[in-house]
Amino acid sequence: MAKIVLSHDGEIIEQRVLPESRLTIGRSADCDLSIDSGEISGEHAAIITVVNDHFLEDLGSTNGTLVNGKRITRHLLENNDVIFLGSYRIKYMNVASSGVGFDRTQIIAPVRPQVSPANTQVVPAALDSAAASTKATRSRFPKGRLVVVEGPRAGSEVAIDGVLVPVGHEGKSLGVINRRPLGLFLTQVSGKPVRVNTRPLGADPVQLKNGDEIIAGDERALFKSA
């Protein structure tokens, strides 16, 4: 079970268990986690659940979203990550993400970036070490690519060399490709069903094979193994 802790100036404001789908963060009262501050955009960021893992995605905010002091667009959260939203802090806690899970490819536990409580500056050496550990782990697992044949990205190729690679679009049809030691697996996340060779995905991940056709909303792509 994962949870987040919202704080400001060192004082805890709220603690919340993450839902099974999506949690929006922003100044708007319509957001799941509403923060009444001019530093925060109306819809600032979202945390998306993928099995036991969680993506943090910036929603085009004015002031940006940072994790452990580094600006991100989309980030796979790790246990004890600290999200920076202006002067507010959100600590992510998920014991399952710090060990070896069925749906995780990161076996080498990364070195956590060190944040000083006094000035919240990230220690560069710790970040470099974490990045090196992640890169070493990723290189050990199978890779692949998507050849997009229909949709806005038609004619492009997408390398599958990260821990988790999204397919489709949030709010329409979204899946995620997960690299594991035995292959690459596609999981439904949200929206209309993602299809593999015309068959909709169910609740369980599906292992991809060379030449599989993936349809996510208005995008159609062919999976190619490395």
mmCIF file with all atom_site columns, all heavy atoms in Angstrom, residues 56-79:
data_model
loop_
_atom_site.group_PDB
_atom_site.id
_atom_site.type_symbol
_atom_site.label_atom_id
_atom_site.label_alt_id
_atom_site.label_comp_id
_atom_site.label_asym_id
_atom_site.label_entity_id
_atom_site.label_seq_id
_atom_site.pdbx_PDB_ins_code
_atom_site.Cartn_x
_atom_site.Cartn_y
_atom_site.Cartn_z
_atom_site.occupancy
_atom_site.B_iso_or_equiv
_atom_site.pdbx_formal_charge
_atom_site.auth_seq_id
_atom_site.auth_comp_id
_atom_site.auth_asym_id
_atom_site.auth_atom_id
_atom_site.pdbx_PDB_model_num
ATOM 1   N N   . LEU A 1 56 ? 4.449  9.754  -11.649 1.00 0.00 ? 56 LEU A N   1
ATOM 2   C CA  . LEU A 1 56 ? 4.120  11.157 -11.409 1.00 0.00 ? 56 LEU A CA  1
ATOM 3   C C   . LEU A 1 56 ? 4.247  11.868 -12.747 1.00 0.00 ? 56 LEU A C   1
ATOM 4   O O   . LEU A 1 56 ? 5.269  11.742 -13.432 1.00 0.00 ? 56 LEU A O   1
ATOM 5   C CB  . LEU A 1 56 ? 5.094  11.771 -10.397 1.00 0.00 ? 56 LEU A CB  1
ATOM 6   C CG  . LEU A 1 56 ? 4.979  13.281 -10.202 1.00 0.00 ? 56 LEU A CG  1
ATOM 7   C CD1 . LEU A 1 56 ? 3.659  13.652 -9.539  1.00 0.00 ? 56 LEU A CD1 1
ATOM 8   C CD2 . LEU A 1 56 ? 6.154  13.810 -9.384  1.00 0.00 ? 56 LEU A CD2 1
ATOM 9   N N   . GLU A 1 57 ? 3.215  12.616 -13.132 1.00 0.00 ? 57 GLU A N   1
ATOM 10  C CA  . GLU A 1 57 ? 3.230  13.317 -14.411 1.00 0.00 ? 57 GLU A CA  1
ATOM 11  C C   . GLU A 1 57 ? 2.883  14.787 -14.201 1.00 0.00 ? 57 GLU A C   1
ATOM 12  O O   . GLU A 1 57 ? 1.872  15.110 -13.566 1.00 0.00 ? 57 GLU A O   1
ATOM 13  C CB  . GLU A 1 57 ? 2.241  12.675 -15.376 1.00 0.00 ? 57 GLU A CB  1
ATOM 14  C CG  . GLU A 1 57 ? 2.267  13.271 -16.766 1.00 0.00 ? 57 GLU A CG  1
ATOM 15  C CD  . GLU A 1 57 ? 1.440  12.473 -17.766 1.00 0.00 ? 57 GLU A CD  1
ATOM 16  O OE1 . GLU A 1 57 ? 0.824  11.471 -17.355 1.00 0.00 ? 57 GLU A OE1 1
ATOM 17  O OE2 . GLU A 1 57 ? 1.423  12.863 -18.942 1.00 0.00 ? 57 GLU A OE2 1
ATOM 18  N N   . ASP A 1 58 ? 3.735  15.667 -14.720 1.00 0.00 ? 58 ASP A N   1
ATOM 19  C CA  . ASP A 1 58 ? 3.422  17.092 -14.690 1.00 0.00 ? 58 ASP A CA  1
ATOM 20  C C   . ASP A 1 58 ? 2.375  17.373 -15.759 1.00 0.00 ? 58 ASP A C   1
ATOM 21  O O   . ASP A 1 58 ? 2.461  16.870 -16.884 1.00 0.00 ? 58 ASP A O   1
ATOM 22  C CB  . ASP A 1 58 ? 4.686  17.914 -14.959 1.00 0.00 ? 58 ASP A CB  1
ATOM 23  C CG  . ASP A 1 58 ? 4.423  19.399 -14.899 1.00 0.00 ? 58 ASP A CG  1
ATOM 24  O OD1 . ASP A 1 58 ? 4.370  19.947 -13.785 1.00 0.00 ? 58 ASP A OD1 1
ATOM 25  O OD2 . ASP A 1 58 ? 4.251  20.013 -15.979 1.00 0.00 ? 58 ASP A OD2 1
ATOM 26  N N   . LEU A 1 59 ? 1.351  18.163 -15.425 1.00 0.00 ? 59 LEU A N   1
ATOM 27  C CA  . LEU A 1 59 ? 0.242  18.430 -16.341 1.00 0.00 ? 59 LEU A CA  1
ATOM 28  C C   . LEU A 1 59 ? 0.380  19.801 -17.005 1.00 0.00 ? 59 LEU A C   1
ATOM 29  O O   . LEU A 1 59 ? -0.593 20.520 -17.190 1.00 0.00 ? 59 LEU A O   1
ATOM 30  C CB  . LEU A 1 59 ? -1.086 18.331 -15.588 1.00 0.00 ? 59 LEU A CB  1
ATOM 31  C CG  . LEU A 1 59 ? -1.392 16.973 -14.947 1.00 0.00 ? 59 LEU A CG  1
ATOM 32  C CD1 . LEU A 1 59 ? -2.722 17.013 -14.203 1.00 0.00 ? 59 LEU A CD1 1
ATOM 33  C CD2 . LEU A 1 59 ? -1.392 15.866 -15.995 1.00 0.00 ? 59 LEU A CD2 1
ATOM 34  N N   . GLY A 1 60 ? 1.614  20.149 -17.374 1.00 0.00 ? 60 GLY A N   1
ATOM 35  C CA  . GLY A 1 60 ? 1.852  21.432 -18.025 1.00 0.00 ? 60 GLY A CA  1
ATOM 36  C C   . GLY A 1 60 ? 1.774  22.596 -17.061 1.00 0.00 ? 60 GLY A C   1
ATOM 37  O O   . GLY A 1 60 ? 1.345  23.694 -17.436 1.00 0.00 ? 60 GLY A O   1
ATOM 38  N N   . SER A 1 61 ? 2.197  22.389 -15.833 1.00 0.00 ? 61 SER A N   1
ATOM 39  C CA  . SER A 1 61 ? 2.112  23.424 -14.805 1.00 0.00 ? 61 SER A CA  1
ATOM 40  C C   . SER A 1 61 ? 3.015  24.614 -15.127 1.00 0.00 ? 61 SER A C   1
ATOM 41  O O   . SER A 1 61 ? 4.011  24.475 -15.851 1.00 0.00 ? 61 SER A O   1
ATOM 42  C CB  . SER A 1 61 ? 2.494  22.846 -13.441 1.00 0.00 ? 61 SER A CB  1
ATOM 43  O OG  . SER A 1 61 ? 3.856  22.443 -13.443 1.00 0.00 ? 61 SER A OG  1
ATOM 44  N N   . THR A 1 62 ? 2.679  25.755 -14.578 1.00 0.00 ? 62 THR A N   1
ATOM 45  C CA  . THR A 1 62 ? 3.450  26.978 -14.820 1.00 0.00 ? 62 THR A CA  1
ATOM 46  C C   . THR A 1 62 ? 4.817  26.930 -14.143 1.00 0.00 ? 62 THR A C   1
ATOM 47  O O   . THR A 1 62 ? 5.841  27.257 -14.744 1.00 0.00 ? 62 THR A O   1
ATOM 48  C CB  . THR A 1 62 ? 2.683  28.208 -14.304 1.00 0.00 ? 62 THR A CB  1
ATOM 49  O OG1 . THR A 1 62 ? 1.419  28.289 -14.978 1.00 0.00 ? 62 THR A OG1 1
ATOM 50  C CG2 . THR A 1 62 ? 3.469  29.489 -14.562 1.00 0.00 ? 62 THR A CG2 1
ATOM 51  N N   . ASN A 1 63 ? 4.852  26.492 -12.890 1.00 0.00 ? 63 ASN A N   1
ATOM 52  C CA  . ASN A 1 63 ? 6.100  26.500 -12.112 1.00 0.00 ? 63 ASN A CA  1
ATOM 53  C C   . ASN A 1 63 ? 6.839  25.175 -12.125 1.00 0.00 ? 63 ASN A C   1
ATOM 54  O O   . ASN A 1 63 ? 7.916  25.057 -11.552 1.00 0.00 ? 63 ASN A O   1
ATOM 55  C CB  . ASN A 1 63 ? 5.811  26.919 -10.668 1.00 0.00 ? 63 ASN A CB  1
ATOM 56  C CG  . ASN A 1 63 ? 5.340  28.365 -10.580 1.00 0.00 ? 63 ASN A CG  1
ATOM 57  O OD1 . ASN A 1 63 ? 5.807  29.211 -11.332 1.00 0.00 ? 63 ASN A OD1 1
ATOM 58  N ND2 . ASN A 1 63 ? 4.404  28.636 -9.691  1.00 0.00 ? 63 ASN A ND2 1
ATOM 59  N N   . GLY A 1 64 ? 6.253  24.164 -12.741 1.00 0.00 ? 64 GLY A N   1
ATOM 60  C CA  . GLY A 1 64 ? 6.932  22.881 -12.870 1.00 0.00 ? 64 GLY A CA  1
ATOM 61  C C   . GLY A 1 64 ? 6.785  21.975 -11.659 1.00 0.00 ? 64 GLY A C   1
ATOM 62  O O   . GLY A 1 64 ? 6.331  22.391 -10.591 1.00 0.00 ? 64 GLY A O   1
ATOM 63  N N   . THR A 1 65 ? 7.152  20.719 -11.862 1.00 0.00 ? 65 THR A N   1
ATOM 64  C CA  . THR A 1 65 ? 7.117  19.697 -10.816 1.00 0.00 ? 65 THR A CA  1
ATOM 65  C C   . THR A 1 65 ? 8.518  19.112 -10.694 1.00 0.00 ? 65 THR A C   1
ATOM 66  O O   . THR A 1 65 ? 9.131  18.761 -11.698 1.00 0.00 ? 65 THR A O   1
ATOM 67  C CB  . THR A 1 65 ? 6.122  18.579 -11.179 1.00 0.00 ? 65 THR A CB  1
ATOM 68  O OG1 . THR A 1 65 ? 4.818  19.150 -11.360 1.00 0.00 ? 65 THR A OG1 1
ATOM 69  C CG2 . THR A 1 65 ? 6.064  17.521 -10.097 1.00 0.00 ? 65 THR A CG2 1
ATOM 70  N N   . LEU A 1 66 ? 9.025  19.020 -9.471  1.00 0.00 ? 66 LEU A N   1
ATOM 71  C CA  . LEU A 1 66 ? 10.363 18.488 -9.236  1.00 0.00 ? 66 LEU A CA  1
ATOM 72  C C   . LEU A 1 66 ? 10.288 17.257 -8.346  1.00 0.00 ? 66 LEU A C   1
ATOM 73  O O   . LEU A 1 66 ? 9.408  17.155 -7.490  1.00 0.00 ? 66 LEU A O   1
ATOM 74  C CB  . LEU A 1 66 ? 11.261 19.528 -8.568  1.00 0.00 ? 66 LEU A CB  1
ATOM 75  C CG  . LEU A 1 66 ? 11.704 20.746 -9.399  1.00 0.00 ? 66 LEU A CG  1
ATOM 76  C CD1 . LEU A 1 66 ? 10.602 21.781 -9.502  1.00 0.00 ? 66 LEU A CD1 1
ATOM 77  C CD2 . LEU A 1 66 ? 12.957 21.377 -8.791  1.00 0.00 ? 66 LEU A CD2 1
ATOM 78  N N   . VAL A 1 67 ? 11.210 16.337 -8.558  1.00 0.00 ? 67 VAL A N   1
ATOM 79  C CA  . VAL A 1 67 ? 11.366 15.171 -7.685  1.00 0.00 ? 67 VAL A CA  1
ATOM 80  C C   . VAL A 1 67 ? 12.805 15.144 -7.206  1.00 0.00 ? 67 VAL A C   1
ATOM 81  O O   . VAL A 1 67 ? 13.735 15.143 -8.014  1.00 0.00 ? 67 VAL A O   1
ATOM 82  C CB  . VAL A 1 67 ? 11.024 13.856 -8.410  1.00 0.00 ? 67 VAL A CB  1
ATOM 83  C CG1 . VAL A 1 67 ? 11.294 12.661 -7.488  1.00 0.00 ? 67 VAL A CG1 1
ATOM 84  C CG2 . VAL A 1 67 ? 9.568  13.846 -8.869  1.00 0.00 ? 67 VAL A CG2 1
ATOM 85  N N   . ASN A 1 68 ? 12.973 15.186 -5.896  1.00 0.00 ? 68 ASN A N   1
ATOM 86  C CA  . ASN A 1 68 ? 14.308 15.220 -5.298  1.00 0.00 ? 68 ASN A CA  1
ATOM 87  C C   . ASN A 1 68 ? 15.155 16.356 -5.870  1.00 0.00 ? 68 ASN A C   1
ATOM 88  O O   . ASN A 1 68 ? 16.359 16.229 -6.069  1.00 0.00 ? 68 ASN A O   1
ATOM 89  C CB  . ASN A 1 68 ? 15.017 13.870 -5.480  1.00 0.00 ? 68 ASN A CB  1
ATOM 90  C CG  . ASN A 1 68 ? 14.231 12.723 -4.883  1.00 0.00 ? 68 ASN A CG  1
ATOM 91  O OD1 . ASN A 1 68 ? 13.543 12.889 -3.881  1.00 0.00 ? 68 ASN A OD1 1
ATOM 92  N ND2 . ASN A 1 68 ? 14.296 11.567 -5.507  1.00 0.00 ? 68 ASN A ND2 1
ATOM 93  N N   . GLY A 1 69 ? 14.496 17.490 -6.170  1.00 0.00 ? 69 GLY A N   1
ATOM 94  C CA  . GLY A 1 69 ? 15.202 18.671 -6.644  1.00 0.00 ? 69 GLY A CA  1
ATOM 95  C C   . GLY A 1 69 ? 15.408 18.754 -8.137  1.00 0.00 ? 69 GLY A C   1
ATOM 96  O O   . GLY A 1 69 ? 15.927 19.751 -8.637  1.00 0.00 ? 69 GLY A O   1
ATOM 97  N N   . LYS A 1 70 ? 14.961 17.734 -8.912  1.00 0.00 ? 70 LYS A N   1
ATOM 98  C CA  . LYS A 1 70 ? 15.158 17.746 -10.357 1.00 0.00 ? 70 LYS A CA  1
ATOM 99  C C   . LYS A 1 70 ? 13.803 17.835 -11.066 1.00 0.00 ? 70 LYS A C   1
ATOM 100 O O   . LYS A 1 70 ? 12.870 17.086 -10.760 1.00 0.00 ? 70 LYS A O   1
ATOM 101 C CB  . LYS A 1 70 ? 15.897 16.482 -10.817 1.00 0.00 ? 70 LYS A CB  1
ATOM 102 C CG  . LYS A 1 70 ? 17.288 16.341 -10.224 1.00 0.00 ? 70 LYS A CG  1
ATOM 103 C CD  . LYS A 1 70 ? 18.023 15.149 -10.789 1.00 0.00 ? 70 LYS A CD  1
ATOM 104 C CE  . LYS A 1 70 ? 18.434 15.359 -12.233 1.00 0.00 ? 70 LYS A CE  1
ATOM 105 N NZ  . LYS A 1 70 ? 19.277 14.273 -12.740 1.00 0.00 ? 70 LYS A NZ  1
ATOM 106 N N   . ARG A 1 71 ? 13.703 18.741 -12.024 1.00 0.00 ? 71 ARG A N   1
ATOM 107 C CA  . ARG A 1 71 ? 12.446 18.948 -12.745 1.00 0.00 ? 71 ARG A CA  1
ATOM 108 C C   . ARG A 1 71 ? 12.128 17.728 -13.617 1.00 0.00 ? 71 ARG A C   1
ATOM 109 O O   . ARG A 1 71 ? 13.022 17.166 -14.272 1.00 0.00 ? 71 ARG A O   1
ATOM 110 C CB  . ARG A 1 71 ? 12.535 20.203 -13.613 1.00 0.00 ? 71 ARG A CB  1
ATOM 111 C CG  . ARG A 1 71 ? 11.201 20.592 -14.250 1.00 0.00 ? 71 ARG A CG  1
ATOM 112 C CD  . ARG A 1 71 ? 11.213 22.034 -14.686 1.00 0.00 ? 71 ARG A CD  1
ATOM 113 N NE  . ARG A 1 71 ? 9.899  22.428 -15.189 1.00 0.00 ? 71 ARG A NE  1
ATOM 114 C CZ  . ARG A 1 71 ? 9.485  23.686 -15.277 1.00 0.00 ? 71 ARG A CZ  1
ATOM 115 N NH1 . ARG A 1 71 ? 10.284 24.664 -14.881 1.00 0.00 ? 71 ARG A NH1 1
ATOM 116 N NH2 . ARG A 1 71 ? 8.287  23.959 -15.751 1.00 0.00 ? 71 ARG A NH2 1
ATOM 117 N N   . ILE A 1 72 ? 10.859 17.341 -13.617 1.00 0.00 ? 72 ILE A N   1
ATOM 118 C CA  . ILE A 1 72 ? 10.452 16.156 -14.378 1.00 0.00 ? 72 ILE A CA  1
ATOM 119 C C   . ILE A 1 72 ? 9.224  16.473 -15.238 1.00 0.00 ? 72 ILE A C   1
ATOM 120 O O   . ILE A 1 72 ? 8.490  17.437 -14.995 1.00 0.00 ? 72 ILE A O   1
ATOM 121 C CB  . ILE A 1 72 ? 10.137 14.955 -13.439 1.00 0.00 ? 72 ILE A CB  1
ATOM 122 C CG1 . ILE A 1 72 ? 8.961  15.282 -12.483 1.00 0.00 ? 72 ILE A CG1 1
ATOM 123 C CG2 . ILE A 1 72 ? 11.366 14.566 -12.655 1.00 0.00 ? 72 ILE A CG2 1
ATOM 124 C CD1 . ILE A 1 72 ? 7.616  14.851 -12.944 1.00 0.00 ? 72 ILE A CD1 1
ATOM 125 N N   . THR A 1 73 ? 9.021  15.641 -16.250 1.00 0.00 ? 73 THR A N   1
ATOM 126 C CA  . THR A 1 73 ? 7.775  15.647 -17.018 1.00 0.00 ? 73 THR A CA  1
ATOM 127 C C   . THR A 1 73 ? 6.967  14.417 -16.637 1.00 0.00 ? 73 THR A C   1
ATOM 128 O O   . THR A 1 73 ? 5.777  14.486 -16.363 1.00 0.00 ? 73 THR A O   1
ATOM 129 C CB  . THR A 1 73 ? 8.066  15.636 -18.533 1.00 0.00 ? 73 THR A CB  1
ATOM 130 O OG1 . THR A 1 73 ? 8.809  16.807 -18.868 1.00 0.00 ? 73 THR A OG1 1
ATOM 131 C CG2 . THR A 1 73 ? 6.759  15.640 -19.324 1.00 0.00 ? 73 THR A CG2 1
ATOM 132 N N   . ARG A 1 74 ? 7.650  13.273 -16.610 1.00 0.00 ? 74 ARG A N   1
ATOM 133 C CA  . ARG A 1 74 ? 7.041  12.016 -16.155 1.00 0.00 ? 74 ARG A CA  1
ATOM 134 C C   . ARG A 1 74 ? 8.107  11.242 -15.406 1.00 0.00 ? 74 ARG A C   1
ATOM 135 O O   . ARG A 1 74 ? 9.245  11.139 -15.844 1.00 0.00 ? 74 ARG A O   1
ATOM 136 C CB  . ARG A 1 74 ? 6.512  11.212 -17.340 1.00 0.00 ? 74 ARG A CB  1
ATOM 137 C CG  . ARG A 1 74 ? 5.915  9.874  -16.944 1.00 0.00 ? 74 ARG A CG  1
ATOM 138 C CD  . ARG A 1 74 ? 5.442  9.106  -18.160 1.00 0.00 ? 74 ARG A CD  1
ATOM 139 N NE  . ARG A 1 74 ? 4.157  9.583  -18.626 1.00 0.00 ? 74 ARG A NE  1
ATOM 140 C CZ  . ARG A 1 74 ? 3.809  9.685  -19.901 1.00 0.00 ? 74 ARG A CZ  1
ATOM 141 N NH1 . ARG A 1 74 ? 4.684  9.386  -20.833 1.00 0.00 ? 74 ARG A NH1 1
ATOM 142 N NH2 . ARG A 1 74 ? 2.599  10.095 -20.247 1.00 0.00 ? 74 ARG A NH2 1
ATOM 143 N N   . HIS A 1 75 ? 7.744  10.677 -14.255 1.00 0.00 ? 75 HIS A N   1
ATOM 144 C CA  . HIS A 1 75 ? 8.750  10.051 -13.378 1.00 0.00 ? 75 HIS A CA  1
ATOM 145 C C   . HIS A 1 75 ? 8.137  8.839  -12.687 1.00 0.00 ? 75 HIS A C   1
ATOM 146 O O   . HIS A 1 75 ? 7.022  8.905  -12.173 1.00 0.00 ? 75 HIS A O   1
ATOM 147 C CB  . HIS A 1 75 ? 9.213  11.077 -12.335 1.00 0.00 ? 75 HIS A CB  1
ATOM 148 C CG  . HIS A 1 75 ? 10.129 10.517 -11.289 1.00 0.00 ? 75 HIS A CG  1
ATOM 149 N ND1 . HIS A 1 75 ? 11.478 10.308 -11.493 1.00 0.00 ? 75 HIS A ND1 1
ATOM 150 C CD2 . HIS A 1 75 ? 9.883  10.115 -10.005 1.00 0.00 ? 75 HIS A CD2 1
ATOM 151 C CE1 . HIS A 1 75 ? 12.023 9.823  -10.398 1.00 0.00 ? 75 HIS A CE1 1
ATOM 152 N NE2 . HIS A 1 75 ? 11.078 9.688  -9.481  1.00 0.00 ? 75 HIS A NE2 1
ATOM 153 N N   . LEU A 1 76 ? 8.865  7.721  -12.688 1.00 0.00 ? 76 LEU A N   1
ATOM 154 C CA  . LEU A 1 76 ? 8.457  6.534  -11.950 1.00 0.00 ? 76 LEU A CA  1
ATOM 155 C C   . LEU A 1 76 ? 8.893  6.727  -10.501 1.00 0.00 ? 76 LEU A C   1
ATOM 156 O O   . LEU A 1 76 ? 10.082 6.795  -10.199 1.00 0.00 ? 76 LEU A O   1
ATOM 157 C CB  . LEU A 1 76 ? 9.114  5.283  -12.528 1.00 0.00 ? 76 LEU A CB  1
ATOM 158 C CG  . LEU A 1 76 ? 8.852  3.976  -11.771 1.00 0.00 ? 76 LEU A CG  1
ATOM 159 C CD1 . LEU A 1 76 ? 7.364  3.630  -11.781 1.00 0.00 ? 76 LEU A CD1 1
ATOM 160 C CD2 . LEU A 1 76 ? 9.667  2.842  -12.365 1.00 0.00 ? 76 LEU A CD2 1
ATOM 161 N N   . LEU A 1 77 ? 7.922  6.840  -9.597  1.00 0.00 ? 77 LEU A N   1
ATOM 162 C CA  . LEU A 1 77 ? 8.225  7.135  -8.196  1.00 0.00 ? 77 LEU A CA  1
ATOM 163 C C   . LEU A 1 77 ? 8.860  5.952  -7.481  1.00 0.00 ? 77 LEU A C   1
ATOM 164 O O   . LEU A 1 77 ? 8.486  4.799  -7.706  1.00 0.00 ? 77 LEU A O   1
ATOM 165 C CB  . LEU A 1 77 ? 6.942  7.549  -7.468  1.00 0.00 ? 77 LEU A CB  1
ATOM 166 C CG  . LEU A 1 77 ? 6.374  8.920  -7.865  1.00 0.00 ? 77 LEU A CG  1
ATOM 167 C CD1 . LEU A 1 77 ? 4.959  9.079  -7.332  1.00 0.00 ? 77 LEU A CD1 1
ATOM 168 C CD2 . LEU A 1 77 ? 7.277  10.041 -7.351  1.00 0.00 ? 77 LEU A CD2 1
ATOM 169 N N   . GLU A 1 78 ? 9.814  6.269  -6.613  1.00 0.00 ? 78 GLU A N   1
ATOM 170 C CA  . GLU A 1 78 ? 10.484 5.284  -5.779  1.00 0.00 ? 78 GLU A CA  1
ATOM 171 C C   . GLU A 1 78 ? 10.221 5.634  -4.314  1.00 0.00 ? 78 GLU A C   1
ATOM 172 O O   . GLU A 1 78 ? 10.001 6.803  -3.961  1.00 0.00 ? 78 GLU A O   1
ATOM 173 C CB  . GLU A 1 78 ? 11.993 5.279  -6.036  1.00 0.00 ? 78 GLU A CB  1
ATOM 174 C CG  . GLU A 1 78 ? 12.396 4.802  -7.422  1.00 0.00 ? 78 GLU A CG  1
ATOM 175 C CD  . GLU A 1 78 ? 12.299 3.292  -7.573  1.00 0.00 ? 78 GLU A CD  1
ATOM 176 O OE1 . GLU A 1 78 ? 12.135 2.605  -6.533  1.00 0.00 ? 78 GLU A OE1 1
ATOM 177 O OE2 . GLU A 1 78 ? 12.402 2.809  -8.702  1.00 0.00 ? 78 GLU A OE2 1
ATOM 178 N N   . ASN A 1 79 ? 10.251 4.609  -3.459  1.00 0.00 ? 79 ASN A N   1
ATOM 179 C CA  . ASN A 1 79 ? 10.001 4.814  -2.037  1.00 0.00 ? 79 ASN A CA  1
ATOM 180 C C   . ASN A 1 79 ? 10.879 5.944  -1.483  1.00 0.00 ? 79 ASN A C   1
ATOM 181 O O   . ASN A 1 79 ? 12.087 5.989  -1.729  1.00 0.00 ? 79 ASN A O   1
ATOM 182 C CB  . ASN A 1 79 ? 10.291 3.508  -1.277  1.00 0.00 ? 79 ASN A CB  1
ATOM 183 C CG  . ASN A 1 79 ? 9.901  3.588  0.184   1.00 0.00 ? 79 ASN A CG  1
ATOM 184 O OD1 . ASN A 1 79 ? 8.868  4.144  0.539   1.00 0.00 ? 79 ASN A OD1 1
ATOM 185 N ND2 . ASN A 1 79 ? 10.742 3.030  1.052   1.00 0.00 ? 79 ASN A ND2 1
#
